[in-house]
Amino acid sequence: MDVSLINDLNRFFDVFNARTEESLRRNLPSESANIASMAVSDEVKLLRESILARLEDHLNR
């Protein structure tokens, strides 16, 4: 798989996760923001893994 594509996707997910966490912390009470932030991080991790696996499968066909 193209390493630059993987790097770009990982960077996208890192930025998406960071911006989402920042928004949650700005807009929710502290305790709620922490819980929501952990949930978002877990979901972004799963999404990242899923997309990279599907992309790898597609490129290896």
Side-chain angles (χ1 to χ4, degrees), residues 25-39:
R25 293 187 197 295
R26 258 194 325 270
N27 295 303
L28 293 174
S30 179
E31 187 175 323
S32 296
N34 289 337
I35 294 168
S37 179
M38 289 188 306

Side-chain angles (χ1 to χ4, degrees), residues 1 16 38 44 54:
M1 188 178 336
F16 177 81
M38 289 188 306
V44 169
R54 288 176 188 253

Side-chain angles (χ1 to χ4, degrees), residues 7-53:
N7 290 339
D8 289 345
L9 282 169
N10 280 319
R11 176 75 179 134
F12 166 78
F13 285 115
D14 290 342
V15 171
F16 177 81
N17 194 46
R19 289 184 178 174
T20 302
E21 287 181 4
E22 288 173 20
S23 178
L24 291 170
R25 293 187 197 295
R26 258 194 325 270
N27 295 303
L28 293 174
S30 179
E31 187 175 323
S32 296
N34 289 337
I35 294 168
S37 179
M38 289 188 306
V40 167
S41 291
D42 289 346
E43 290 299 319
V44 169
K45 179 181 176 185
L46 292 172
L47 184 60
R48 177 192 318 240
E49 291 171 358
S50 174
I51 288 175
L52 289 175

